[in-house]
Amino acid sequence: MVTITPVLLCGGSGTRLWPLSRKSYPKQFVPLVGEETLFQASARRLHGTGLGAGGLGFAAPVVLTNAEFRFIVAEQLGQAGIDPGAVLIEPEGRNTAAPILAAALHLAATDPEAVMLVAPSDHVVPDAPAFHAAIERGLGPVSEGRLVTFGITPDRAETGYGYLEIAAPVADGAPQDLVRFVEKPDAARAEAMFGSGAFLWNAGIFMARAADMAAAFRHHAPDLCAPVEAALDRARADLGFLRLDPAAWAAAPDISVDYAVMEKAGNLSVVPFAAAWSDLGGWDAVWRESGPDAHGVVATDGATAIDCRDTLLRSDSDRLEIVGIGLDNIMAIATGDAVLVADMRRAQDVKLAVAALKAKQAPQATSFPKVHRPWGWFESLVIGGRFQVKRILVHPGAALSLQSHHHRSEHWIVVEGTARVTVDDAVTLVTENQSVYIPLGAVHRMENPGKLPMVLIEVQTGAYVGEDDIIRYEDVYARG
Amino acid sequence: MVTITPVLLCGGSGTRLWPLSRKSYPKQFVPLVGEETLFQASARRLHGTGLGAGGLGFAAPVVLTNAEFRFIVAEQLGQAGIDPGAVLIEPEGRNTAAPILAAALHLAATDPEAVMLVAPSDHVVPDAPAFHAAIERGLGPVSEGRLVTFGITPDRAETGYGYLEIAAPVADGAPQDLVRFVEKPDAARAEAMFGSGAFLWNAGIFMARAADMAAAFRHHAPDLCAPVEAALDRARADLGFLRLDPAAWAAAPDISVDYAVMEKAGNLSVVPFAAAWSDLGGWDAVWRESGPDAHGVVATDGATAIDCRDTLLRSDSDRLEIVGIGLDNIMAIATGDAVLVADMRRAQDVKLAVAALKAKQAPQATSFPKVHRPWGWFESLVIGGRFQVKRILVHPGAALSLQSHHHRSEHWIVVEGTARVTVDDAVTLVTENQSVYIPLGAVHRMENPGKLPMVLIEVQTGAYVGEDDIIRYEDVYARG
């Protein structure tokens, strides 16, 4: 029986799945395929004991993310019923090498023999038992001190992935020595590789003992070691998160683990994985993984396809209906505040949409109307000349900061649950269908003392209703 | 100097411009091209004096509409600064013959010599002076007791319109005798007619003296006369509208004026009109009339086109951005609650979208989130399990009905203007940033006593927040 520690990388914020994936809330935290978010599904896939043929088990995961996403990570793991072993906060994005080394050093500090499995948190792997079996096949090389990577058996001549060349096609999924890494190919080269059977997709999933992983970094990427070690040594515990030291981290090279270590390592084994897999690298991949019908059509609940072929129609708002007529090879994705309509073959160009919206300073480029905070979330329902209406949800036990505003008064009407409201010196309980008025300038706080989520409607009136009109006096989440 | 009475037909509710045109608020009341609605532009085009070369002038228009649209008609004419001479309410839709006869009889009752110009209220005619000149050219035949129709000089071989054949092509726009009406042609026939120069589009615009129009009906469509005369005789004046008698009206044949009268009339003259014209019969027509750029792209303020050709991208919500990438011959129209994406060649099939949404009982098929009422409008901002939030606008001087609810309490927060609020026996003035609570069961009313629109946010809480939980005690608009 072997216990493996998942290392989940989820600091990324891709734009290729805009408008569902945005900088403020990227694709790994969104239910793109199925009910759970990709991050939750990734964590669940690497969770539990007594798995596989040999009693494979997983320890609590180590999660690497950034400061902005830390409460989303905590909330989504909580919903999935999974306790993280550690959540390491990257002060800024440094590609994959530095965070993987940080995880290896963090684990090696308590158990150098700990087996770590590094996985992105935005992949789709429908057959978890098949994946567990592949992990088990990799444990032999790991126990010999080798690094293991997983190579996906291609089902098409894909030009969007890098490849791993192995000595010969294998049927039994046994570990192979790596011949070499191959960059993303052109179409002809992809066809040739697909035909040969000796090339697997590089999925960016790695397994090794923590000490062996650290040793590989020391050998092949020594310039990463000092900054990452220092960032860990000076890390600061904060509300259950471990914040890596920003100054030290800033000195770490911004490089992928493939370039820094794996392409140079002589001791890399490849475990073939022949089941379905996707990195959901674009809406075309989401379309493929969502089970197109006989006409190639994927349409969600709020979407209706009429005489369409090879088309993705997706509504991600329960107040929005989308209808397609006579479309061929089109993808149309609608959220409450943005709609993308594109030729399916231009799936990799969705970043152009984000860039165009940034240029016109549209908030849709990077953020959602629903804004997530440590205490819950809020969304603006309507903004007028001198007013704004928000819906606010506060988690059980959570509290907003003690604050005041210069330019607005607020009416709060509780519509679900119970709020404890502080206005200057008075503290009152406000329950469903009760309201409270916060005069301009009053020092106030909203808390949820209950066991259920509390929802209130906030009506702001005043000459200025921007988010930056806020003076914070106390904040349990240590925000400015 | 001649004075003409415009007769504006605006009872229709087409579905081909869904999602912007819906049964509850159809295309003529929407600003589809330009700032004004089509109805306002139609009324303005037939308004004023001292026009044309000969001092053409227009009397106050006679408007034909239905009960549901009567307050929209009044509000939009008011915004345009045009007083209607009469607003005749059709109890139910009866195509074009019956309403035109009703207008003719209504006018002839006071002035049989009155010249009436019958026009749909959803056409686009950018060059109003050119239209006035065409009207002036038609006055000669009208004075001789003839019926005049206007034929649009085609600029393409259109298969979507019926045609009017004239004896020979004309350059000076002088009135011609009609040879015959031609049904919508196939493509080959359309090409041949376009090439010949002797065929004009039938725009459905007619001019005649009221008595001559009535006489034509008596001669060619006698079965229409008794019901329409009776409907007028028994019409009931109601808040400035003239409600035709429903029982009498129900007996009128449902037939177009072309079939009933014009195709049989021997005294029909055609005035050619060579300037731009469109009936906006589909989104392809809106695209054409909206001025496509060099790539054939039309993109509204909230829309961004990247590498698109011959494409219409339209956002009709100020909170919604739409982006198109690599599209060719596609139209995508987004409102706050619905998105249509279609092949441009399927413009005539948009009714299929409406039918599909009706079948799934989606409210988007027929109505908008913003609901217009005689007193103003409201829109639902969010509906939860036991609550709903609405924005409500009340026109100056207007009042909602005196009412109560069985299942909900309401919090009202005024955010613009001043409300006079009745709750049981108490009447209070509520101004910006003040709130009032309406307990479940309380008899209440909201009025705007001021000179500016009053906006308030209503937060409803209760086990049921449907529109039908309402008991009305008094209603100045005589609703049930």
Side-chain angles (χ1 to χ4, degrees):
Chain A
M1 209 200 81
V2 178
T3 298
I4 293 176
T5 302
V7 173
L8 296 170
L9 307 178
C10 65
S13 59
T15 57
R16 286 180 299 178
L17 293 180
W18 184 90
L20 237 69
S21 179
R22 303 187 196 177
K23 189 162 178 286
S24 73
Y25 207 85
K27 69 169 176 173
Q28 60 268 32
F29 301 121
V30 175
L32 271 161
V33 176
E35 300 286 309
E36 287 193 313
T37 72
L38 297 176
F39 171 60
Q40 287 173 321
S42 299
R44 187 179 302 286
R45 190 157 57 238
L46 303 174
H47 179 70
T49 55
L51 304 169
L56 187 70
F58 292 102
V62 173
V63 180
L64 284 121
T65 189
N66 61 41
E68 207 181 340
F69 303 153
R70 68 195 193 282
F71 291 103
I72 306 175
V73 163
E75 184 182 340
Q76 295 207 345
L77 286 178
Q79 286 168 354
I82 297 173
D83 284 326
V87 179
L88 273 57
I89 307 221
E90 306 167 54
E92 54 186 314
R94 275 293 177 267
N95 211 317
T96 51
I100 291 174
L101 176 56
L105 294 173
H106 175 75
L107 287 171
T110 50
D111 179 8
E113 303 293 309
V115 177
M116 59 192 282
L117 178 82
V118 180
S121 57
D122 54 1
H123 289 184
V124 173
V125 185
D127 188 350
F131 191 55
H132 298 153
I135 291 171
E136 285 186 315
R137 294 197 298 276
L139 290 173
V142 163
S143 70
E144 295 159 12
R146 296 180 67 85
L147 311 182
V148 166
T149 188
F150 295 83
I152 315 298
T153 308
D155 61 4
R156 63 186 184 274
E158 174 67 51
T159 59
Y161 299 141
Y163 284 70
L164 304 166
E165 184 177 355
I166 52 177
V170 283
D172 64 353
Q176 305 286 307
D177 285 354
L178 175 76
V179 175
R180 63 185 175 103
F181 281 81
V182 181
E183 297 276 335
K184 289 180 188 178
D186 60 22
R189 181 91 189 93
E191 281 295 344
M193 291 195 293
F194 178 47
S196 84
F199 294 86
L200 307 173
W201 290 338
N202 178 7
I205 307 172
F206 301 99
M207 184 165 64
R209 290 187 301 220
D212 296 334
M213 184 70 84
F217 273 85
R218 273 195 298 276
H219 190 72
H220 300 292
D223 53 336
L224 270 158
C225 296
V228 173
E229 277 168 17
L232 256 184
D233 285 348
R234 296 179 210 147
R236 186 166 57 84
D238 172 21
L239 296 171
F241 306 105
L242 193 62
R243 284 179 181 271
L244 298 169
D245 182 68
W249 187 258
D254 187 332
I255 187 171
S256 77
V257 71
D258 282 2
Y259 283 123
V261 175
M262 299 302 166
E263 295 190 3
K264 301 170 184 167
N267 62 338
L268 195 59
S269 294
V270 180
V271 173
F273 180 64
W277 169 90
S278 172
D279 72 345
L280 291 188
W283 283 114
D284 52 343
V286 174
W287 167 76
R288 200 181 297 115
E289 298 303 318
S290 301
D293 69 14
H295 300 286
V297 170
V298 171
T300 61
D301 270 354
T304 303
I306 299 170
D307 301 336
C308 295
R309 294 193 67 84
D310 299 335
T311 284
L312 170 65
L313 291 179
R314 187 172 169 127
S315 165
D316 280 273
S317 161
D318 54 9
R319 305 196 89 188
L320 195 63
E321 288 284 337
I322 180 167
V323 181
I325 302 176
L327 303 175
D328 189 354
N329 235 333
I330 294 287
M331 52 202 207
I333 298 96
T335 67
D337 68 339
V339 181
L340 171 71
V341 183
D343 187 307
M344 188 88 79
R345 293 159 295 195
R346 300 292 297 268
Q348 295 304 308
D349 291 332
V350 171
K351 57 186 182 294
L352 299 177
V354 178
L357 290 181
K358 265 189 193 157
K360 69 188 278 197
Q361 298 186 304
Q364 287 90 341
T366 54
S367 50
F368 286 96
K370 184 184 280 191
V371 178
H372 291 261
R373 293 284 194 238
W375 44 260
W377 53 258
F378 69 87
E379 63 178 333
S380 176
L381 299 175
V382 61
I383 301 180
R386 290 173 50 86
F387 71 96
Q388 177 170 213
V389 183
K390 285 182 179 175
R391 170 161 57 162
I392 299 175
L393 181 143
V394 183
H395 295 309
L400 278 69
S401 63
L402 186 69
Q403 58 188 240
S404 68
H405 312 291
H406 283 307
H407 301 292
R408 66 179 190 250
S409 315
E410 294 174 348
H411 293 262
W412 293 349
I413 299 104
V414 174
V415 293
E416 285 179 16
T418 299
R420 181 162 55 220
V421 174
T422 304
V423 182
D424 291 329
D425 295 332
V427 178
T428 49
L429 283 182
V430 185
T431 63
E432 186 181 305
N433 193 33
Q434 294 186 325
S435 69
V436 62
Y437 176 63
I438 316 291
L440 191 153
V443 174
H444 58 281
R445 185 203 292 276
M446 174 192 311
E447 297 166 85
N448 179 356
K451 301 293 181 196
L452 296 170
M454 185 274 287
V455 178
L456 68 71
I457 304 300
E458 175 177 283
V459 180
Q460 308 173 346
T461 55
Y464 178 76
V465 292
E467 290 302 316
D468 54 346
D469 175 17
I470 185 165
I471 304 149
R472 287 206 175 94
Y473 302 94
E474 290 171 28
D475 184 8
V476 296
Y477 310 104
R479 297 169 300 172
Chain B
M1 210 201 82
V2 178
T3 297
I4 293 175
T5 302
V7 173
L8 296 169
L9 306 177
C10 64
S13 57
T15 57
R16 288 180 299 179
L17 293 179
W18 185 90
L20 235 70
S21 178
R22 304 186 195 177
K23 187 163 178 286
S24 74
Y25 207 86
K27 69 171 177 170
Q28 60 267 33
F29 301 121
V30 175
L32 271 161
V33 174
E35 301 285 308
E36 284 192 314
T37 71
L38 296 175
F39 170 61
Q40 287 173 321
S42 298
R44 188 180 302 287
R45 191 158 56 238
L46 303 175
H47 180 71
T49 55
L51 305 168
L56 188 69
F58 292 101
V62 173
V63 180
L64 284 121
T65 189
N66 61 42
E68 207 180 343
F69 303 153
R70 69 195 193 279
F71 291 104
I72 306 175
V73 163
E75 184 182 342
Q76 294 205 349
L77 285 178
Q79 286 167 356
I82 297 174
D83 284 325
V87 178
L88 273 56
I89 305 207
E90 306 166 54
E92 54 187 314
R94 276 292 178 268
N95 210 319
T96 51
I100 290 173
L101 176 56
L105 294 173
H106 174 78
L107 287 171
T110 51
D111 180 8
E113 303 292 309
V115 177
M116 59 191 282
L117 179 82
V118 181
S121 56
D122 54 0
H123 290 183
V124 173
V125 185
D127 187 350
F131 190 57
H132 298 154
I135 291 171
E136 285 187 315
R137 292 198 298 277
L139 289 173
V142 163
S143 70
E144 296 159 13
R146 297 180 67 85
L147 311 182
V148 166
T149 187
F150 295 82
I152 315 297
T153 308
D155 61 3
R156 61 185 186 277
E158 176 66 51
T159 59
Y161 300 141
Y163 284 71
L164 303 166
E165 184 176 354
I166 51 176
V170 284
D172 64 355
Q176 305 287 307
D177 285 352
L178 175 76
V179 176
R180 61 182 175 109
F181 281 80
V182 180
E183 297 277 333
K184 289 179 188 179
D186 61 20
R189 181 92 190 93
E191 281 295 345
M193 291 195 292
F194 178 49
S196 85
F199 294 86
L200 306 173
W201 291 337
N202 177 8
I205 306 172
F206 301 98
M207 184 165 64
R209 289 189 301 221
D212 297 333
M213 183 70 83
F217 274 85
R218 271 194 299 277
H219 190 72
H220 300 293
D223 53 337
L224 270 157
C225 295
V228 173
E229 276 168 19
L232 256 184
D233 285 347
R234 299 179 210 149
R236 185 166 58 84
D238 172 20
L239 296 170
F241 306 105
L242 194 60
R243 285 179 180 270
L244 298 169
D245 181 68
W249 189 256
D254 187 330
I255 188 170
S256 78
V257 72
D258 282 3
Y259 282 124
V261 175
M262 300 301 167
E263 296 189 1
K264 301 171 183 167
N267 63 338
L268 196 59
S269 294
V270 181
V271 173
F273 180 64
W277 170 89
S278 172
D279 72 344
L280 291 187
W283 283 114
D284 53 343
V286 174
W287 166 76
R288 200 181 297 115
E289 298 304 318
S290 300
D293 70 13
H295 300 286
V297 170
V298 171
T300 62
D301 271 354
T304 304
I306 299 170
D307 301 337
C308 295
R309 293 193 67 84
D310 297 336
T311 284
L312 169 66
L313 291 178
R314 186 171 171 130
S315 166
D316 280 273
S317 161
D318 56 7
R319 305 194 90 188
L320 195 62
E321 287 284 336
I322 181 166
V323 181
I325 303 176
L327 302 175
D328 190 353
N329 235 333
I330 294 287
M331 52 199 209
I333 298 96
T335 67
D337 67 340
V339 181
L340 170 71
V341 183
D343 186 307
M344 188 87 80
R345 291 161 296 195
R346 302 292 297 268
Q348 294 305 308
D349 291 332
V350 171
K351 57 186 182 293
L352 300 178
V354 178
L357 290 181
K358 264 188 193 156
K360 70 189 276 198
Q361 298 186 305
Q364 286 91 342
T366 54
S367 51
F368 285 97
K370 185 185 280 192
V371 177
H372 291 261
R373 295 284 193 235
W375 44 260
W377 52 258
F378 69 87
E379 64 179 332
S380 176
L381 298 175
V382 62
I383 301 181
R386 290 174 49 86
F387 71 96
Q388 178 170 213
V389 183
K390 285 182 179 175
R391 171 161 56 161
I392 299 174
L393 181 143
V394 183
H395 295 309
L400 280 68
S401 62
L402 186 68
Q403 58 189 239
S404 68
H405 311 291
H406 284 306
H407 301 292
R408 66 180 192 250
S409 315
E410 295 175 347
H411 293 262
W412 293 349
I413 300 103
V414 174
V415 295
E416 283 180 18
T418 299
R420 182 162 55 219
V421 175
T422 303
V423 182
D424 291 329
D425 295 333
V427 178
T428 50
L429 283 182
V430 185
T431 62
E432 186 181 306
N433 194 32
Q434 293 185 328
S435 68
V436 62
Y437 176 64
I438 317 291
L440 189 153
V443 175
H444 59 280
R445 184 203 293 275
M446 174 192 311
E447 297 165 86
N448 180 359
K451 300 292 181 197
L452 297 170
M454 186 273 288
V455 179
L456 66 71
I457 304 300
E458 174 177 284
V459 180
Q460 309 173 344
T461 57
Y464 179 75
V465 293
E467 290 302 318
D468 54 345
D469 175 18
I470 185 165
I471 304 149
R472 287 206 175 96
Y473 303 93
E474 291 171 27
D475 184 9
V476 294
Y477 309 105
R479 296 169 299 173

